[in-house]
Amino acid sequence: EVQLVESGGGLIQPGGSLRLSCAASGFTISSNYMSWVRQAAGKGLEWVSLIYSGDNTYYPDYVKGRFTISRDNSKNTLHLQMNRLRAEDTAVYYCAKGRKYSGSYIDYWGLGTLVTVSS
Amino acid sequence: EIVMTQSPATLSVSPGDRATLSCRASQSVSSNLAWYQQKPGQAPRLLIYGASARATNIPARFSGSGSGTEFTLTISSLQSEDFAVYYCQQYNNWPPGTFGQGTKVEIK
């Protein structure tokens, strides 16, 4: 059974840093693309980052240069390092598994972890 | 970037009725389209992929159709557990594969 369990969320001041983790089980994260998708309260789904086909990464402009996605294949764990956080980064962050190595839909989602950026 | 536009934003439906949700792409995405369901306080769940294939354990009352730029998700007879927000996502132009803004299906 596929499971994704996020951790590391919390309250952080603007300009601060946070590291999210996603412990995966039931599959091997190196065999699929992995991603982080966020959702602000009452809003839609928004991409945060992707890692695919080895160590290829994708970041939308609104997090590029501030966020870094990585995976520890030995621990089957995905990470998201978030630096220079802004109020607009406040959201529930979901870890998500891609159906294939790259270029496909998401077939499993974690329950999410809440990140609140506020002074 | 391909823009995905869902309509309507909110759909009011009575239990047992049929619901039809639309998703339009700004350019062709072939059949590379997925639908997700999200209930309040829960993570999204995959419903449909490849525009029309039901994901594992998804009831037959959910069906998807379309190709190119026009897609439809139909719920044939709404059950109480189907009231939720539904998102479409194209994965033809990837990364990242854009999401629509969602359609909320509410009880009439």
Side-chain angles (χ1 to χ4, degrees):
Chain A
E1 180 192 5
V2 170
Q3 284 198 322
L4 300 167
V5 180
E6 301 96 336
S7 60
L11 175 64
I12 187 76
Q13 291 190 336
S17 298
L18 213 53
R19 190 191 196 208
L20 305 183
S21 297
C22 171
S25 59
F27 73 103
T28 304
I29 63 169
S30 59
S31 299
N32 299 81
Y33 86 78
M34 297 296 294
S35 61
W36 292 95
V37 178
R38 70 186 182 186
Q39 186 173 40
K43 303 296 185 182
L45 301 170
E46 184 176 68
W47 289 103
V48 175
S49 61
L50 288 160
I51 186 165
Y52 62 100
S53 299
D55 290 328
N56 292 292
T57 57
Y58 164 82
Y59 303 96
D61 287 344
Y62 43 84
V63 306
K64 194 176 293 183
R66 300 188 299 124
F67 290 11
T68 303
I69 190 172
S70 62
R71 50 186 167 189
D72 184 340
N73 294 334
S74 67
K75 296 182 179 179
N76 219 34
T77 299
L78 181 72
H79 299 288
L80 181 68
Q81 178 66 43
M82 304 187 294
N83 298 330
R84 290 183 280 140
L85 282 159
R86 306 166 179 168
E88 54 266 35
D89 295 320
T90 294
V92 174
Y93 284 70
Y94 294 104
C95 170
K97 169 188 171 291
R99 174 64 179 86
K100 298 192 297 186
Y101 205 48
S102 67
S104 186
Y105 51 89
I106 291 170
D107 58 358
Y108 288 95
W109 301 70
L111 296 179
T113 187
L114 177 62
V115 173
T116 303
V117 184
S118 175
S119 53
Chain B
E1 180 179 282
I2 296 177
V3 177
M4 306 301 292
T5 302
Q6 293 185 239
S7 61
T10 302
L11 186 61
S12 298
V13 186
S14 300
D17 285 355
R18 183 186 194 90
T20 302
L21 289 67
S22 295
C23 176
R24 175 177 293 179
S26 60
Q27 64 190 76
S28 177
V29 298
S30 186
S31 295
N32 295 314
L33 185 106
W35 290 92
Y36 304 91
Q37 176 194 63
Q38 187 179 33
K39 298 179 183 179
Q42 296 187 18
R45 175 176 73 146
L46 176 67
L47 290 179
I48 300 285
Y49 62 93
S52 60
R54 274 190 303 277
T56 304
N57 296 325
I58 300 303
R61 62 180 182 273
F62 290 92
S63 62
S65 62
S67 66
T69 62
E70 300 283 343
F71 300 88
T72 300
L73 174 69
T74 301
I75 312 171
S76 60
S77 177
L78 268 157
Q79 307 297 302
S80 57
E81 62 266 29
D82 301 335
F83 292 96
V85 179
Y86 294 83
Y87 295 94
C88 64
Q89 183 221 352
Q90 68 81 18
Y91 50 95
N92 193 62
N93 278 36
W94 191 99
T98 40
F99 292 102
Q101 80 280 17
T103 290
K104 181 180 180 180
V105 177
E106 64 175 25
I107 300 175
K108 188 174 183 179

